[in-house]
Amino acid sequence: MLILFFKAAILVPITMLPIINPFGNAPVFASLLGNVSRDVEKKLARQVALNCFFLLLGAMFIGSHVLMFFGISIPIVRISGGLLVAFTAWRLLNDNGQDAIRTQVATAPMEAWSDEEFKVRSFYPISFPLTVGPGAIAASITLGASTPARLLDQVISLGSAAVGAAMTAFVIWLCYNSANKMVKMLGRLGTMVMLRLSAFILLCIGVEIFWTGVVGLLVEAGVAIQ
């Protein structure tokens, strides 16, 4: 039972991290910060990781129930999420430095934010949709869609999901906490290459999520997939 618990816990970061891609997003995060103090950078990285932890947990625990209430199927979520991820990646690929996300964050100096404003701005747009976007939410809902019938199995499933989400958030914190160091190490050219490469990978992930949703709809419609 303990082995199954840790297998289920490890499944979450293995599934989520390639979609979230915190290493690839770290240069974007650093560019959003600008020239801020190290304390502000650490505080924001910690808050973003905490936001992402609760976003993933919420999607895994209640996401499927919300979809069921509105009559939305998982394939529809995948198609919608895949399109949005692909569109976001396309914008990043063609971004010339005037990205709307950067504008949202740069409207006021971070040192002047109140604690409440800090939490709000750390959530949008950095936590969502930059870090945990629609693709990650769709994947989280899929992971939490099959709830075991037995009470003990439910407790184990919820516990492993929480541990997996915590591990994912920890990796996000590690990458974002060292974002400026990473940018300095890569240099201007290396950062630009990393941004474009990350955007292309994100585009591929968006297309993959979209196609998985299309295949799911075709299967639900009874169409045989070769």
Side-chain angles (χ1 to χ4, degrees):
M1 188 175 295
L2 191 62
I3 293 175
L4 291 176
F5 175 86
F6 283 110
K7 280 185 177 179
I10 292 172
L11 178 64
V12 175
I14 286 177
T15 304
M16 302 310 304
L17 287 175
I19 300 174
I20 295 174
N21 189 21
F23 181 80
N25 285 333
V28 183
F29 176 78
S31 70
L32 297 179
L33 292 180
N35 296 320
V36 298
S37 65
R38 176 61 179 157
D39 289 339
V40 173
E41 181 185 15
K42 290 166 63 177
K43 183 179 179 182
L44 189 61
R46 183 169 62 250
Q47 186 62 50
V48 168
L50 191 62
N51 292 342
C52 294
F53 171 74
F54 286 114
L55 276 172
L56 294 175
L57 275 188
M60 284 188 284
F61 290 169
I62 64 173
S64 58
H65 302 291
V66 173
L67 294 182
M68 190 181 302
F69 178 80
F70 288 103
I72 303 172
S73 65
I74 294 295
I76 292 296
V77 174
R78 286 174 173 162
I79 290 175
S80 304
L83 286 173
L84 190 52
V85 169
F87 176 71
T88 302
W90 184 258
R91 285 178 56 201
L92 287 173
L93 276 171
N94 294 277
D95 179 34
N96 293 318
Q98 301 298 323
D99 188 77
I101 293 178
R102 185 178 294 105
T103 304
Q104 285 278 347
V105 177
T107 51
M110 292 187 186
E111 287 84 352
W113 293 353
S114 64
D115 289 340
E116 188 65 27
E117 189 176 12
F118 193 92
K119 291 179 181 178
V120 171
R121 289 177 180 266
S122 69
F123 179 80
Y124 181 83
I126 301 177
S127 299
F128 178 86
L130 176 63
T131 307
V132 176
I137 289 177
S140 299
I141 293 173
T142 305
L143 287 174
S146 55
T147 304
R150 292 174 53 196
L151 179 60
L152 179 60
D153 292 339
Q154 288 180 4
V155 172
I156 294 174
S157 176
L158 294 178
S160 62
V163 172
M167 293 168 63
T168 305
F170 179 71
V171 175
I172 293 171
W173 173 80
L174 281 178
C175 292
Y176 284 6
N177 194 54
S178 305
N180 275 319
K181 293 180 181 178
M182 191 183 304
V183 169
K184 289 177 182 177
M185 181 180 66
L186 290 173
R188 184 176 179 182
L189 178 60
T191 302
M192 184 185 68
V193 171
M194 177 64 72
L195 286 172
R196 293 299 186 264
L197 182 60
S198 300
F200 178 72
I201 293 173
L202 190 63
L203 177 62
C204 296
I205 291 172
V207 173
E208 176 67 24
I209 295 171
F210 170 80
W211 179 246
T212 303
V214 171
V215 171
L217 279 182
L218 292 176
V219 171
E220 287 184 357
V223 179
I225 305 297
Q226 300 295 329

